Amino acid sequence: IPAPKRGEIVRQIGDALRQKIKLLGSLVSLEMGKIFVEGVGEVQEYIDVCDYAVGLSRMIGGPILPSERPGHALIEQWNPVGLVGIITAFNFPVAVYGWNSAIAMICGNACLWKGAPTTSLISVAVTKIIAKVLEDNKVPGAICSLVCGGADIGTAMAKDERMDLLSFTGSTKVGKQVALMVQERFGRSLLELGGNNAIIVFEDADLKLVIPSTLFAAVGTAGQRCTTARRLFLHESIHDEVVEKLAKAYTQVRIGDPWDSDTLYGPLHTKEAVKMFLDAVEKAKQQGGSVVCGGKVINRPGNYVEPTIVTGLPHNAPIVHTETFAPILYVLKFKEEEEVFAWNNEVKQGLSSSIFTKDLGRIFRWLGPKGSDCGIVNVNIPTSGAEIGGAFGGEKHTGGGRESGSDSWKLYMRRSTCTINYSKDLPLAQGIKFQ
């Protein structure tokens, strides 16, 4: 099927999702626990990626390169890798599949999806919608297949040589195991793993931007995003003022039923997550931290915990260097630009990072080789909320993968360098004579 025709099918998938966006958003909210508006927003992200992929289906391709030999053409040809395995996590049970599948499909691949075991209803619903669109276009629904299960299924996918590319989203610990299994058979993997993301606020920052940005990045999705802000570095001259304003903002967060339109903050996904939250708060106290607000389980049905701010820890405290998938924000003081850039980079993960400043020189130092070492580097916006047009992913223990926009499509294809001799002679490269 030609790429533009594949794009047309993906366009129809986007339209089919549009028709059921509120139902799907409700199902995401029900299974995962995120608030309804975030559930709808996640489905919208899949729709947006479909729109992006439609345009891409008429643009993908390689260059014609100048050959050093007369009468020769040198071109890059891009072909599908074949079968793309997609393992997604509970926290974004729709959007991450969308980033992968929409791009993989316009590149000409088939997909095999394993969603998180705790969000299998939304996986089934999305797969049924896609299958109908495929079958309406007289192609097999199995082009986008689904398998439900746990770690044993993921292991089987990682080890299976028929899996030409395995895209895995999850923890760094499991991602490392997946990478080793895939590499052992010389397969390809795309890894989207943990993030220990920092916001840095300088003395010249606009606090009207800082407070809502930090609140959204730290508390959104109850702290269960890979791009959640977990470290907040404040210049010593504004530290106390920002902490006071932020603590006040935290008290205004509306906690409740994720399906209630007034709710801004829902429960954690599992009881295990609640235990991780309590353990992290306790360790933070033991290592010298002070809980400014939050730190407790909320006494109501469900896995609800208080959004939490901890101050007084050193930048290199073990708990600060640990990614706890919960709404805990460690607030840290700094004096100089050079030291805080180094502190941003000293954690093992390298996903997202933000600074708030009006200093143009500092902005470009932050974006440059001595600035942030993350895959996502922001200025005057929070660490979360990436756009689909840019490549999403990170460095170091975040895995190095890139999904969605820019040239991420290349990961779902294989490249051939092709030379065509249309002359009657056989000149060799580098002018070599072989007689």
Side-chain angles (χ1 to χ4, degrees), residues 243-264:
V243 169
E244 183 183 342
K245 288 184 174 178
L246 196 57
K248 185 178 179 184
Y250 266 53
T251 64
Q252 296 169 18
V253 173
R254 296 188 298 277
I255 301 170
D257 183 339
W259 275 1
D260 187 329
S261 60
D262 288 332
T263 301
L264 291 176

Side-chain angles (χ1 to χ4, degrees), residues 138-192:
K138 306 291 190 291
V139 294
I143 284 171
C144 286
S145 292
L146 171 71
V147 58
C148 295
D152 55 334
I153 303 294
T155 298
M157 290 172 69
K159 289 184 173 179
D160 197 317
E161 294 201 355
R162 293 171 296 178
M163 205 71 57
D164 298 291
L165 170 67
L166 186 65
S167 173
F168 174 84
T169 301
S171 70
T172 297
K173 180 183 175 185
V174 178
K176 189 181 288 187
Q177 296 168 356
V178 168
L180 290 171
M181 286 186 275
V182 175
Q183 180 56 41
E184 193 171 35
R185 60 177 176 83
F186 286 102
R188 278 204 218 180
S189 61
L190 193 170
L191 302 174
E192 295 285 356

Side-chain angles (χ1 to χ4, degrees), residues 32 90 118 224 267-276 303:
M32 187 272 156
F90 75 86
T118 51
Q224 297 169 112
L268 294 180
H269 187 54
T270 60
K271 301 230 177 293
E272 290 77 17
V274 175
K275 184 179 182 304
M276 283 193 306
N303 306 316

